Amino acid sequence: MTDRLAGLRALGLGVSPPQRQDSDARERVQALSAPAALAEARAEICRRDLSRFIRAGWEHIEPGEPYLHNWHIDAMSEALTALFKRQILRLILNIPPRCAKSSVGSVLFPPWTWLSDPAFRMISTAYERGLAVRDAIKSRRLMDTNWYESLNIRDPETREPLFRMRDQTVKSLRRLKDSEDYYENDRGGRRIAVGVDGGSTGKGGHMIITDDPQDPRRARSDAERIHTLSWWDQTMSTRLDNQKTGLKLIIMQRLHCFDLCGHELSKNIGYVHVKFPMEFDPRRRCVVSLGVDKETGVEKVWSDPRTGDRERLWEDRFDERACAGLKKDLGPYGWAGQEQQDPIPEGGSLFKLEWFKEFDRAPIFDMVALSIDCAFTDAKSSSYVVIQVWGFKGPNAYLLDNVREHLSFVAMEKMIYAVRAKYRRRRLAPNAILIENKANGPAIISRLVKKIPGIIPCEPRKMGGSKFARASSVSPFVSAGNVFVQKDAPWLADFFLEATNFPLYTSDDQVDAMSQALWWRFLSNVDVKNEQAKQQFLKWSGFGDADGSEPPGEDPDAPEDDYNSEEPDTGDEEED
């Protein structure tokens, strides 16, 4: 008995624990001989500790690949255990490729759950059914090994295992229908493998596992991404047997701001989000609660253990040279999403946050312009209408105002008048009104050109063509520190969010309007130093000569309503 107890202590297994599970384990061990007791103690540790199970089982799923342990595998195990124990109900694991995420989450974790709950039912998914089936077969083969069989608790009297597989063959999974495969045990446990490309499954489960739901090769495809999100929302959302206690696990590398991970996090429905960036940033340390341990009553809190700036996730596999190569191969977007788990590089890509300067008090401008990005419709799903007010002084551009709303055609016209009137009253009458000549831009141009001087249609193809090309052409002016924004403006946060996430953010209308204004000022033939041109623009604005006279009143044909003006338009000003 002393040898058996010593073996338990050496393995870290308590010999007189308070929990019933520990008591049962101790009774099993005490009834065995010393060698058998040692083996049973090891088995009990694997049954309770997912990380130990992974270490011992690795050689059976990757026989030609030596196991290299790293702290992130312990962290993944801790989070997955919290999920299985229902300390948490929703879990997202973001981790770079080739860091054992599928081996841990889709191959080793599912068989481990059956060692304590053989009736557990799960659905495993991937962007291709073949990948989901591959991982399910690897799990099935693991369960056919003598090692796994040794972990299957046996009745002390009958020596019967806790469960048996119904189908002992692993050459192919039993087919339910063309879109899904499954296997099950004799205690009701079942695993179904299905792909995003394979449609739906008519059966449910206690847990849904999705491992890389989108093909990284199609990360930029909006159609592919929307298809994945629709599949998750419309199909998989109803597959949990119990919506109250059912579990959801998403394991993936980040590909887009609104990939499945971003989509689910935006719902704010209680996901625990664990991120493993390849290079550590102390300012973005991941700290999460893994719920309260139901046995001890203690809250489990996990924190990224790294301390050094740019400390790598798995030094044994990814050293400095390897990471440098990945940065070159993947480019800034690929590295930011797939490796850093942040779809946009720190500070932004084309437009970094630190490039924008802030101002409190505006200078006396050489020229003021409105830059307008129109939308096709006023539907909430459509693009925004953006109306920006820019002031230009020498080589610098100042963003004074930024209106961003879903507006109908009539409301957009009224808003243009209102913004123009607001800045005319502030002696900042726009010299030019730049309107993108697409969407409903041509229609608004044809109406306003008869009523307001200085309307300038802007052709996207003349400014570089695509949105990305136009933004790229003006990015140097932002990086040079020539672009200023109004300090503490209420619209500033939304503007920065879009600009620093361009072109992967869900909208780009504010960036389009900014690109249009900066291109017109810095890359067209506008020369504010030319006095004749300056006087011409001042004339267009309604001031006439630049003599410091009071600005004239609103246009006679303008709408009566002055929407969104800080100072209501009384209508008693002098007409143009």
Side-chain angles (χ1 to χ4, degrees):
M1 177 65 72
T2 303
D3 291 339
R4 289 195 291 271
L5 298 182
L8 287 172
R9 292 191 180 98
L11 290 169
L13 188 64
V15 295
S16 57
Q19 290 81 11
R20 178 63 185 167
Q21 181 184 13
D22 294 337
S23 178
D24 292 343
R26 186 176 62 153
E27 291 175 7
R28 288 197 305 271
V29 172
Q30 290 176 343
L32 301 173
S33 62
L38 193 62
E40 173 59 22
R42 287 173 175 155
E44 184 65 19
I45 287 177
C46 287
R47 285 191 286 264
R48 297 191 199 183
D49 189 332
L50 177 56
S51 181
R52 293 292 188 95
F53 178 85
I54 291 167
R55 299 186 207 195
W58 185 270
E59 63 177 305
H60 301 289
I61 66 166
E62 299 289 349
E65 185 73 24
Y67 177 73
L68 293 175
H69 186 69
N70 193 54
W71 61 266
H72 80 282
I73 294 178
D74 290 334
M76 291 177 68
S77 300
E78 188 177 352
L80 291 170
T81 300
L83 181 72
F84 179 60
K85 289 183 175 181
R86 289 183 169 82
Q87 295 171 197
I88 58 176
L89 299 178
R90 303 286 185 271
L91 176 64
I92 292 175
L93 297 176
N94 288 150
I95 187 167
R98 316 312 304 166
C99 288
K101 64 180 178 61
S102 294
S103 295
V104 171
S106 295
V107 178
L108 290 160
F109 173 53
W112 178 79
T113 65
W114 280 0
L115 293 174
S116 56
D117 185 3
F120 195 62
R121 297 188 295 273
M122 64 201 89
I123 302 173
S124 57
T125 73
Y127 66 83
E128 288 182 356
R129 185 178 66 87
L131 296 176
V133 171
R134 176 203 67 187
D135 291 340
I137 289 177
K138 291 177 78 173
S139 296
R140 181 67 180 82
R141 286 176 175 157
L142 173 70
M143 291 187 286
D144 271 355
T145 63
N146 292 332
W147 172 77
Y148 186 83
E149 185 66 22
S150 71
L151 303 181
N152 196 346
I153 297 175
R154 294 179 178 273
D155 186 276
E157 296 181 0
T158 65
R159 303 303 297 161
E160 286 295 313
L162 183 63
F163 68 91
R164 294 181 186 276
M165 298 302 296
R166 285 190 179 278
D167 181 9
Q168 296 300 320
T169 180
V170 296
K171 292 182 180 179
S172 63
L173 301 181
R174 293 179 60 186
R175 182 63 58 89
L176 284 176
K177 57 184 182 179
D178 290 341
S179 63
E180 59 191 39
D181 297 271
Y182 86 112
Y183 50 77
E184 59 187 6
N185 63 43
D186 62 354
R187 295 288 296 274
R190 179 178 63 231
R191 178 173 181 175
I192 297 174
V194 64
V196 175
D197 59 348
S200 64
T201 173
K203 293 185 177 293
H206 300 124
M207 176 171 66
I208 297 173
I209 303 172
T210 184
D211 184 352
D212 276 343
Q214 186 173 349
D215 188 346
R217 295 168 298 180
R218 301 174 183 175
R220 299 291 184 86
S221 170
D222 287 342
E224 189 81 10
R225 181 174 54 83
I226 292 171
H227 169 70
T228 300
L229 301 184
S230 177
W231 163 83
W232 181 260
D233 286 345
Q234 305 301 321
T235 301
M236 299 311 294
S237 62
T238 61
R239 293 301 91 200
L240 288 175
D241 288 344
N242 188 321
Q243 291 289 337
K244 182 178 180 180
T245 62
L247 309 175
K248 289 186 178 181
L249 170 62
I250 299 174
I251 313 169
M252 64 181 292
Q253 52 187 299
R254 293 304 306 272
L255 300 172
H256 189 281
C257 291
F258 279 88
D259 52 18
L260 182 58
C261 173
H263 177 67
E264 287 297 277
L265 290 175
S266 70
K267 297 178 182 178
N268 195 26
I269 54 176
Y271 273 93
V272 173
H273 185 202
V274 182
K275 296 170 60 174
F276 299 95
M278 178 58 74
E279 292 184 345
F280 180 62
D281 182 347
R283 296 169 297 176
R284 299 184 179 182
R285 182 189 303 275
C286 181
V287 181
V288 297
S289 171
L290 297 177
V292 176
D293 189 305
K294 296 178 180 179
E295 295 178 355
T296 65
V298 177
E299 182 183 14
K300 298 282 188 177
V301 177
W302 179 83
S303 174
D304 193 316
R306 289 176 284 182
T307 57
D309 188 35
R310 301 193 180 278
E311 185 177 344
R312 286 174 287 278
L313 176 64
W314 201 349
E315 189 65 36
D316 287 340
R317 287 195 172 186
F318 301 93
D319 58 11
E320 184 177 1
R321 181 178 179 182
C323 288
L326 284 171
K327 290 177 183 178
K328 290 182 180 179
D329 293 340
L330 294 172
Y333 302 122
W335 171 261
Q338 294 176 249
E339 299 297 329
Q340 290 298 94
Q341 311 316 310
D342 185 350
I344 294 300
E346 181 182 350
S349 51
L350 277 182
F351 303 105
K352 296 184 181 297
L353 185 62
E354 60 266 28
W355 290 352
F356 291 94
K357 309 301 179 185
E358 294 185 339
F359 69 95
D360 282 315
R361 187 173 181 180
I364 298 176
F365 295 118
D366 300 316
M367 190 176 297
V368 175
L370 300 189
S371 182
I372 303 170
D373 185 81
C374 303
F376 284 95
T377 70
D378 62 330
K380 296 298 182 183
S381 59
S382 179
S383 298
Y384 288 91
V385 171
V386 173
I387 304 174
Q388 294 178 345
V389 182
W390 288 88
F392 301 104
K393 178 68 174 178
N396 297 326
Y398 297 78
L399 181 55
L400 305 173
D401 207 344
N402 185 68
V403 177
R404 177 178 179 262
E405 294 183 19
H406 289 292
L407 298 172
S408 67
F409 183 89
V410 173
M412 177 176 64
E413 182 181 8
K414 290 181 178 180
M415 183 64 76
I416 293 172
Y417 277 109
V419 173
R420 179 172 179 265
K422 172 181 173 179
Y423 284 87
R424 281 163 62 90
R425 284 191 292 271
R426 295 180 177 182
R427 296 177 175 269
L428 293 172
N431 307 98
I433 299 178
L434 317 173
I435 303 177
E436 187 177 17
N437 198 20
K438 59 178 291 190
N440 55 18
I444 196 68
I445 289 170
S446 66
R447 280 184 60 85
L448 296 182
V449 74
K450 302 172 184 178
K451 304 176 181 179
I452 300 178
I455 300 295
I456 300 178
C458 295
E459 299 289 344
R461 60 182 182 83
K462 293 182 179 180
M463 295 187 291
S466 70
K467 297 174 183 287
F468 188 85
R470 301 198 302 267
S472 298
S473 69
V474 301
S475 179
F477 304 113
V478 183
S479 65
N482 294 121
V483 177
F484 294 74
V485 293
Q486 180 75 52
K487 186 177 181 180
D488 298 327
W491 43 261
L492 199 56
D494 285 340
F495 174 80
F496 279 152
L497 183 63
E498 182 178 303
T500 58
N501 282 274
F502 179 85
L504 300 180
Y505 197 55
T506 51
S507 60
D508 49 23
D509 313 284
Q510 296 172 94
V511 171
D512 273 359
M514 176 180 69
S515 300
Q516 180 173 265
L518 298 182
W519 186 93
W520 174 79
R521 168 62 185 90
F522 295 121
L523 298 177
S524 68
N525 294 322
V526 176
D527 181 7
V528 296
K529 294 182 179 180
N530 183 293
E531 189 60 26
Q532 183 179 359
K534 184 175 180 178
Q535 293 294 336
Q536 181 63 48
F537 276 112
L538 290 172
K539 183 177 181 181
W540 286 352
S541 70
F543 274 92
D545 292 335
D547 56 2
S549 60
E550 290 290 327
E554 190 52 48
D555 305 277
D557 295 326
E560 293 182 3
D561 295 322
D562 188 12
Y563 288 75
N564 253 26
S565 290
E566 290 186 357
E567 303 171 34
D569 190 1
T570 61
D572 57 357
E573 292 179 326
E574 188 179 317
E575 293 185 355
D576 283 339

